[in-house]
Amino acid sequence: MPNSLLSTPARRWATGATVATVVVGAAVAGPLIAGADSDLPDRTAAELLVDLASLDVGPFAGTIVQSADVGLPELPATDTTSLPTAALSLLDGSSTARVWYTDGDTYRFALQDDQNESDLIRDGQDLWFWSSEGARASHLVVPEDAEGSDDGGNPFGDKGPFGGEGMPEDMPENIPTAAASLALSMIEPSTQIDVDGTATVAGRNAYELVLRPKDDQSLIGSIRLAIDGETSMPLRVQIVAKDATEPSFEVGFTSISFDEPEESTYEFAPPPGTTVEEIQPDDLDDAAAEHHTDMGVGPEGLDDSGFSTVGSGWSTVFVARDVDLDALTSHLEGDAATLAAEFIAQLQDVSGPYGTGRALTSDLFSVLLLDDGRLLAGAVSLDVLEEAAQDPAAQ
């Protein structure tokens, strides 16, 4: 398959896989949210959870802002319209995106910074990815039998917390709806759930649902969900580190409308001078299989022997095996490759009864990459990971 935008992580936008990053760096003036009293009726946590579980996402349009400061080492500034580098804005920096959504077959994202713009547009079976940088575009005709192509799809599965029509599988997962889904998936007996008043988010009255881990080992102090008082749609998610008062991670709408976007929003014609590449569905499947093989795993991903967990609940440690860092970064080019090299260079050398390797620590999570190919990660401190590395389940 020739080199193209869709041969990078952007390729996942055109398949049934989940997208992790659809934001670009941008300065944001002022805080995302202002607290406020409202006339919303009292609701219990259980009632709000029922509303979320039955949520059917309808048409909307809005601006989403994500900001994060999780205590990672400072890295050089790069052009965050590049998808690999945009991923790091989820951990350190501020990002913004415009989104229009009609249904699972009709949506658009506009990613902008001061100099460049990238758009993802789906209108029926036509899927476009366009970048003003380099005047490049990729076009894919989505097969009619593609999962989620005619029923709205759902990135969380049929039984996810937003089951039903919901959002399509190839919608990005950094929007508040998906972030809320991730938070709700963590609910279990080790979680305390409360309603903590109301807030004003994007000019709308919202309930504040708060999840707090009872597990002292977790680095997460709380996760706060702002839920629209009229539609029950998640409008903002904040993650606050233990012993902190300000969120280390926040994603939310700064403006939102629940009117159906105009049909013209999804009309796209490549600007004059744009290099257009036609992508075939088979090319995507072949490239995905090649990518998995390069990383040392089969086309189907890791099997049960390659992935395991140690512990449970909020202090669960995830263990992957046969992780090849060189293979994971070999596909990066330009700023993305430079940033990855800078990032890896700042990892901490560690050793112990578990072996030798490198580690990354932050306010919300830690990662331990061992020289024997094991990777351990969790919302816990490094010493918890080092202890988990000696557990038989992690061997």
Side-chain angles (χ1 to χ4, degrees):
M1 173 180 173
N3 184 36
S4 71
L5 293 175
L6 290 180
S7 66
T8 70
R11 177 179 59 242
R12 289 173 290 173
W13 280 350
T15 69
T18 302
V19 177
T21 310
V22 196
V23 288
V24 295
V28 180
L32 288 178
I33 312 300
D37 295 328
S38 75
D39 296 327
L40 291 175
D42 292 340
R43 302 295 302 278
T44 66
E47 289 172 329
L48 293 177
L49 290 173
V50 169
D51 291 342
L52 286 171
S54 58
L55 177 62
D56 182 3
V57 179
F60 70 90
T63 299
I64 299 167
V65 172
Q66 170 265 322
S67 60
D69 182 5
V70 301
L72 293 176
E74 185 175 351
L75 294 171
T78 59
D79 171 21
T80 51
T81 54
S82 166
L83 290 178
T85 55
L88 281 178
S89 71
L90 294 174
L91 303 176
D92 187 11
S94 182
S95 311
T96 190
R98 283 279 290 154
V99 58
W100 297 262
Y101 175 81
T102 297
D103 56 36
D105 292 333
T106 317
Y107 48 86
R108 179 172 187 160
F109 291 87
L111 297 77
Q112 297 177 325
D113 63 13
D114 293 336
Q115 299 174 331
N116 301 304
E117 177 177 344
S118 297
D119 280 32
L120 170 71
I121 306 144
R122 179 165 179 182
D123 186 9
Q125 304 308 117
D126 285 310
L127 183 69
W128 286 93
F129 181 78
W130 172 73
S131 174
S132 64
E133 183 183 15
R136 300 175 298 162
S138 295
H139 176 240
L140 170 72
V141 177
V142 180
E144 292 187 2
D145 58 351
E147 185 177 0
S149 64
D150 57 4
D151 63 358
N154 189 335
F156 319 117
D158 293 338
K159 300 181 181 180
F162 306 118
E165 281 289 307
M167 308 294 281
E169 278 207 7
D170 40 9
M171 282 279 277
E173 274 207 8
N174 68 328
I175 64 176
T177 302
S181 173
L182 178 61
L184 294 178
S185 70
M186 303 172 71
I187 293 178
E188 56 176 59
S190 63
T191 305
Q192 176 183 337
I193 308 172
D194 300 295
V195 179
D196 187 17
T198 61
T200 299
V201 181
R204 298 182 64 87
N205 292 330
Y207 295 98
E208 290 264 63
L209 187 67
V210 184
L211 285 60
R212 294 184 176 90
K214 299 177 182 178
D215 190 337
D216 290 338
Q217 285 190 318
S218 175
L219 292 177
I220 296 175
S222 65
I223 299 180
R224 304 181 66 90
L225 311 181
I227 301 168
D228 187 78
E230 181 180 348
T231 67
S232 296
M233 183 168 173
L235 298 179
R236 182 203 62 192
V237 177
Q238 293 176 316
I239 303 178
V240 182
K242 185 167 59 176
D243 300 327
T245 57
E246 298 296 324
S248 295
F249 176 87
E250 179 172 359
V251 57
F253 287 97
T254 57
S255 65
I256 188 169
S257 167
F258 292 99
D259 296 329
E260 183 170 341
E262 297 288 339
E263 292 184 7
S264 59
T265 302
Y266 309 111
E267 297 174 357
F268 178 75
T274 300
T275 301
V276 178
E277 181 179 10
E278 292 292 336
I279 306 298
Q280 302 301 319
D282 290 344
D283 293 337
L284 299 177
D285 295 337
D286 293 343
E290 179 183 355
H291 180 63
H292 283 298
T293 302
D294 288 344
M295 290 194 300
V297 298
E300 300 300 321
L302 292 171
D303 56 23
D304 290 340
S305 65
F307 181 82
S308 62
T309 60
V310 177
S312 62
W314 293 79
S315 59
T316 299
V317 173
F318 298 92
V319 185
R321 296 171 180 80
D322 299 324
V323 176
D324 186 337
L325 192 58
D326 291 336
L328 289 171
T329 58
S330 63
H331 301 279
L332 302 181
E333 300 176 351
D335 281 348
T338 301
L339 192 62
E342 292 273 357
F343 191 81
I344 293 170
Q346 297 193 50
L347 296 180
Q348 172 187 353
D349 291 329
V350 294
S351 63
Y354 50 83
T356 60
R358 286 169 287 182
L360 170 70
T361 60
S362 76
D363 297 337
L364 294 179
F365 63 89
S366 301
V367 178
L368 177 61
L369 178 61
L370 298 178
D371 294 336
D372 60 15
R374 289 182 294 160
L375 184 146
L376 296 87
V380 294
S381 60
L382 178 57
D383 61 320
V384 176
L385 295 186
E386 292 177 319
E387 182 178 351
Q390 302 174 63
D391 191 288
Q395 299 302 316

